[in-house]
Amino acid sequence: MDGIVQLQRQLVDYNASLFHEGFLDDQFNQLQQLQDESNPDFVVEVVTLFFEDADRLLNELTKALGQPSIDFKRLDAHVHQLKGSSSSIGAQRVHRVCISFRNSCEEQNVEGCLKNLQQVKHEYSLVKSKLETLFRMEQQVLAAGGSVSR
Amino acid sequence: MADNKDEIYSESSECSPSSTSPMGSKYRYLFHRLCGSWNTSSNPEARRIFHRDVEKEEFQYASSHCLTSYYSVFVVRLAIMIMLAILIGLLTILTWHFTKIYTTKSLKSLAYGLRYELLQRPILRMWNILNSTSEITTAQVKLSQYVIRRYSNPATQAEQVELYEAMRAITWSLFASRKALNSITINYKNGFVQAFHRDLKDNNTFYIYSDLANYSMGASNSNEINSFSKHQAWDDKSLHGNYSAIWYREPLDPVSGEKIGKAMKIAPEDLINIAGLSQVPDGVASWHVAVSKFTDSPLLSAALPVWDSSNKTIMAVVGVTTALYSVGQLMRELVELHSGHMYLTSQEGYLLATSTSAPLLANSTKPLQLKMAVDCEDDVIRQGAEWLQRTYRNNFPPSHEVHVENVKLGHQRYYIDSFFLNLKRLPLVGVIIIPRKYIMGQVDERAFKTLVILISASLCILVIGCVCILILTNGVSKEMNLRAELINQLEARRKAEASSNYKSQFLANMSHELRTPMAAVIGLLDILISDDCLTNEQYSTVTQIRKCSTALLRLLNNILDLSKVESGKLVLEDAEFDLGRELEGLVDMFSVQCINHNVETVLDLSDDMPKIVRGDSARVVQVFANLINNSIKFTPSGHIILRGWCGNQNSSVGSPNFPLDQKKLQSLQKCREKPIASQAKRASINDNKVILWFEVDDTGCGIDPSKWDSVFESFEQADPSTTRLHGGTGLGLCIVRNLVNKMGGDIKVVKKEGPGTLMRLCLLLSAPMDVTEQQCAVDLTENGFVVLLALHGNMGRLITSKWLQKNGVCTMEAADWNGLTQILGELFHARSSAHNTDFDAHYPAKEEFKSKLLNIRDMRNPVFVIVVDIGLLDLSTDIWKEQLNFLHRYFGRAKFVWMLNHDTSNNIKMELRRNGHVLMVNKPLYKAKMIHILEAVIKERNLELQRKTLTAPRMKEGDLHEFLEIDSTQFDATSSDDSDISEIGGSNPVSTNGDKPVEKIAKSHPSSPYHMNNALVNENEYLEEHNMGKEESSSPSASYGTGDNQPKSQSTNESSVSTEDQDEDSGCGETQRVTSSSKTVHGKKSLEGLKILLAEDTPVLQRVATIMLEKMGAAVVAVGDGQQAVEALGCMFTAEDCRGESLQKGITPYDLILMDCQMPKMDGYEATKAIRKSEVGTGLHIPIVALTAHAMSCDEAKCLEVGMDAYLTKPIDFKMMVSTILSLTQTSLT
């Protein structure tokens, strides 16, 4: 039982640290609130959707930026999508980079775009790993028979 | 610019400077306009400060500008001056020239004539002399010939002598006849000489003859003599030299010729020249100029031979000499008359006559010689001669005539003219030298004077002209500078206005961006507060944060409101609202604040106020909230009264002492009516405008009369030091005035008696005709109420009692506990014992009171209502319980109504309730509350009566415990049914104020058939609820109602509409608490039964939104893009086309569409357009809500333009989304 409590505490701490370090924002909380008996894996589901979407978009972005003549309009649309989905799950830092990415797109600043793409990728991988860790911990807690309190 | 300026400049200088060029008039117009606007600007001081920076910047520009313009002006001035100088100079020269030339010319011709004449006269004289000389000579010769022929061949000496005597007589007669003759000589062949000589100097006349002794006097000697004389005659030398002839001279009487003296011997040839044969060598007349010893003037001598009868031999030679002295005399006379010099010379240059008295003969030489003209002693003549010689040498012009002007001799200028008189054998040259001064002197002088005068005059004119030009151009240049400055000023003004405009614009645009985060902060804090797991400390901290945030939001709202009003973006809503209730709520709210301040807040609305009016409720509330807030700030003790009455716009203004004149009011109404005319028409044709007058009266520190106007300016505070004490930005009153003006009213500070401030304002609102005024449902007079008001606040008590009395209710007043007990004693003990002497002793003076008591006693079956302020009880100690017990004695006989403070402890409430006091209301007491109380009393009485008649007292006392709480926070649009007591008996089991406390109560009294807001409130929770309510009243109404985005205001609109619709209310009320939805028990599925189409491409968002909506009970169909959305709807339309009935019923597969704006294939805008297009003709309108990440107002506008109904920003705010959806779906349902 102590183990569970410890795990739970760890989970809570980790969760708090994510918010504290700015990876996530209130939107994520809302997601968690939306999760209930009828949708037990709602958060995981949405976040997984996000991962898939983001992977696809990042690929598109990389491709688009790799081309000799860059279609900034398309680029912008992609970034906009990424921005929307990241803000929906509360991936705050990704969201922020997306904003500056869009600015670069508007200025048609290729270097800025590339830099921002790198940053987005970085932030995305970070948040991805963080979230995966979080989910893993939740799984552990659940497996241990505890409940994930929110 | 400079060129342009020059043009203007020259233009205005060419025409007269006073005449206005079109440019000028334009500038003048601008100037006037500027002046006008400057005058009308109410606060030039502030404006100036505002302009200062700009001006500084402008100054440098202007100074450099000035320099160039200065140079151009300078150049132009110079040019004009030079032109003037040239003009005047030309005029001068021309004038001078014409005057001089013509006079000179005419004078010259005159002078020439004069000179000619002058010279002619001596020459004529000369000519005369010559002529006469020749005549005489000829006559002498003829006579001599005659005489000699007569005595030819004189034989004897006597004959000879006779001849000589005859000759002498003839000669004398000739000589005497001509006075001018100098001498006549006859030289005979034999050498005898006879001569008459006239000495012109001493006017003596002499006869000169040679000695006859030497010659043969007789005939005997005649041959000898003849031969001798012959010899002598032919040899003149012998006569002169070798013969020592003896000559005699006899003085004669000049007139008679008689001998008057003795003959004297003289040397021959001593006196005169005797013309000899030598002088007539060829026998013709000879002329020559000679000199004589006796005269210093040259002599003209002529010699002619006398021939014998045969004309072969010369018998004698006759010589005549004439002095030229008279010519000189004439010349002198002429010269005296005319000045100048004249001289005559021979052709060789010997002087014959001069106009001077200088000697004509050279003294130095012997024999005497004639002088040359160049040797003349007279300077002028000499110089003239020299000049002539120098100039012409010997090449005189053929006629020898010379006319020369302006010859400088010595220091003077002269005219020199010479004429040539060509006499045979004696050519003469006459020269006249006249000083130029004599002829032209006057002219020259005049010309010089004229020139001097002209030049000086023109110089004067020039100087004056230059000065004039300077002055004129100075004016012009000054004007130019002023104009340039003016233009600069205008430019600066325009810039400043533009920048100010930008500022307002910016703020107005920022409003959304600023409010949203604040709303988020507050919302999150609400969530936190509603969370269970907070400790008390955390809870208080969070509450504190919330308060601070609310304050910040309020400030933000103020600034934004102001900027919005100023930028003209504020659009007033036009919806019906209950003015009375709004104001009551406001007073409730502020009374809580005031109780701590020991200030009483009183609402005093007259009965004629319309209950329902159309207008912008939020703005009206804002106005009064600001005013009351202000009053509270500055009122440490006393009361604040909000008075209201209705002034019909057609009748005279309600208050007679109101200074606002009718005209202004009417004009005010007119300008108000114009813009909203269309709106008003749309709303209701039957609307009639009413003017509502309000006063906010406080007993604070008051405002200095000089600041009565300025307090309404931005950032203006009556006393700057108060900022420290009370805080505030000074925006409140400014917003109030702006809003009031916008509502077609006016606000001003009015003079009041006693301390404090009296703000009076009027609002022009429309009251719907069809809403008949709801009179009190209960006729108060019928029931025989006796109301005892035991209240602390004097004002409130007074006003309430007055109102009650007006409505025929008997009232009594008590201000403290003692008064209450006494009145109670009087009322009830007197009733029983009819002894009231004690009372009379205590209140001997109150006759009025006594009569009231008597009245009450007369009353049949009176209902006593005792309104007791809880503050009358001594709450600090335990005495209050005893007091309560004391009052309990009257419980059966009177109804007690307790006025509670907001902080009245729960213990007391419990105790009261335990004692059966169920009627409790919160302070303050006002009209509506009083009505409610009385109605409740009536109801209760009726119930009791029923109970008594129907059944035994079956119910427990506890079940009847009622807490009549007249909701003080109901002016919020979300409120539904309130303390309308008519509803008490009705079935309305839903708690409207879905808060926890209510919830708990609902649990504890689940079966209570008519609990309204039954609440067992613990103190803390109650307080909190109140606060929350209060804040809510400010924040949502401000942020929603004032929001510039339409969906929000629309939602407010809709929900306020839904207030009337009681059935729909419950859901709406709950949406306000949706964040704590996990804890809400009722109405969780507020979207139950709704079918929503979600068009969203991002899977994450799609999922989230779906879950959110499903959680609220809605059925969601999600599609990936606009195309699919249209298709999904398209099916529906086609499907519905088949089923005509369902169309008529208005059943649609989807109640609402949530539409993302940016989607692949077909974006939200396109999709919306397509959907709206397909709806045309069906009469359907599916609400479409836009979802967009662009939080810009332009996007919003675009959304609304394409036909969407509302607008949500990503990330989706749960609360907002639900409320928006609800408002839209309810509209469509209703």
Side-chain angles (χ1 to χ4, degrees), chain B residues 901-917:
Chain B
N901 283 339
H902 67 285
D903 56 351
T904 306
S905 76
N906 219 31
N907 279 347
I908 298 169
K909 288 183 195 165
M910 291 285 281
E911 189 66 28
L912 286 173
R913 200 164 283 121
R914 208 167 50 78
N915 284 334
H917 301 295

Side-chain angles (χ1 to χ4, degrees), chain B residues 106-130:
Chain B
S106 53
L107 270 177
K108 254 184 198 162
S109 61
L110 277 176
Y112 181 73
L114 177 72
R115 269 148 40 205
Y116 189 78
E117 193 63 27
L118 277 181
L119 203 58
Q120 210 65 22
R121 283 166 73 180
I123 286 171
L124 277 177
R125 172 69 61 91
M126 200 73 184
W127 177 252
N128 279 345
I129 289 168
L130 283 173

Side-chain angles (χ1 to χ4, degrees), chain A residues 34 36 42 45 80-81 88, chain B residues 1097 1101 1103 1107 1111 1158:
Chain A
L34 285 169
D36 56 12
F42 175 65
E45 187 190 340
H80 180 60
Q81 276 198 339
S88 298
Chain B
D1097 62 325
L1101 257 178
R1103 186 78 188 116
I1107 293 295
K1111 257 195 166 349
Q1158 276 205 333

Side-chain angles (χ1 to χ4, degrees), chain A residues 65-78:
Chain A
L65 270 173
Q67 262 154 21
S69 63
I70 297 166
D71 183 359
F72 280 102
K73 221 171 172 184
R74 219 171 121 244
L75 206 63
D76 190 54
H78 286 315

Side-chain angles (χ1 to χ4, degrees), chain B residues 945-1184:
Chain B
L945 286 173
Q946 277 180 355
R947 227 180 291 145
K948 272 175 193 165
T949 51
L950 285 176
T951 53
R954 181 177 55 87
M955 284 188 209
K956 277 195 268 176
E957 285 267 305
D959 286 339
L960 278 172
H961 285 176
E962 263 184 88
F963 177 47
L964 177 71
E965 174 135 318
I966 296 164
D967 199 338
S968 59
T969 62
Q970 296 301 325
F971 58 92
D972 195 323
T974 60
S975 69
S976 55
D977 72 354
D978 51 3
S979 51
D980 208 339
I981 291 177
S982 60
E983 298 260 330
I984 285 179
S987 57
N988 192 5
V990 187
S991 77
T992 53
N993 223 358
D995 265 336
K996 289 178 293 177
V998 182
E999 205 177 296
K1000 279 178 187 167
I1001 292 155
K1003 277 175 190 162
S1004 63
H1005 294 270
S1007 60
S1008 175
Y1010 47 87
H1011 86 271
M1012 202 191 68
N1013 279 342
N1014 291 352
L1016 276 167
V1017 200
N1018 73 49
E1019 184 188 339
N1020 199 14
E1021 277 170 339
Y1022 175 75
L1023 179 67
E1024 200 42 49
E1025 180 200 16
H1026 208 114
N1027 279 345
M1028 296 267 280
K1030 196 174 70 188
E1031 277 149 15
E1032 235 178 309
S1033 71
S1034 63
S1035 68
S1037 66
S1039 68
Y1040 290 178
T1042 64
D1044 51 346
N1045 43 0
Q1046 213 173 334
K1048 282 174 184 173
S1049 59
Q1050 202 174 348
S1051 81
T1052 324
N1053 251 343
E1054 302 306 342
S1055 18
S1056 65
V1057 166
S1058 69
T1059 331
E1060 261 111 60
D1061 197 341
Q1062 299 284 344
D1063 294 338
E1064 294 297 323
D1065 253 355
S1066 55
C1068 191
E1070 245 157 29
T1071 57
Q1072 293 299 316
R1073 292 281 158 220
V1074 133
T1075 39
S1076 54
S1077 60
S1078 55
K1079 286 133 196 161
T1080 49
V1081 179
H1082 299 289
K1084 181 183 157 195
K1085 311 262 183 193
S1086 60
L1087 300 179
E1088 188 77 70
L1090 290 177
K1091 279 193 79 178
I1092 292 174
L1093 179 66
L1094 173 68
E1096 169 65 65
D1097 62 325
T1098 319
V1100 182
L1101 257 178
Q1102 198 181 38
R1103 186 78 188 116
V1104 172
T1106 310
I1107 293 295
M1108 276 183 177
L1109 292 168
E1110 276 174 355
K1111 257 195 166 349
M1112 296 306 292
V1116 181
V1117 175
V1119 292
D1121 57 45
Q1123 191 74 46
Q1124 288 173 22
V1126 173
E1127 277 163 13
L1129 274 170
C1131 316
M1132 145 196 140
F1133 280 119
T1134 47
E1136 270 175 13
D1137 280 343
C1138 309
R1139 311 173 284 154
E1141 310 104 45
S1142 62
L1143 186 102
Q1144 279 165 1
K1145 280 178 196 164
I1147 298 167
T1148 53
Y1150 301 110
D1151 296 304
L1152 188 125
I1153 303 173
L1154 277 174
M1155 183 80 79
D1156 187 16
C1157 287
Q1158 276 205 333
M1159 283 185 294
K1161 284 182 192 166
M1162 185 189 265
D1163 68 13
Y1165 306 121
E1166 292 290 321
T1168 308
K1169 276 186 202 163
I1171 292 165
R1172 291 289 175 241
K1173 210 172 164 188
S1174 65
E1175 276 173 354
V1176 172
T1178 60
L1180 286 171
H1181 184 92
I1182 297 183
I1184 299 177

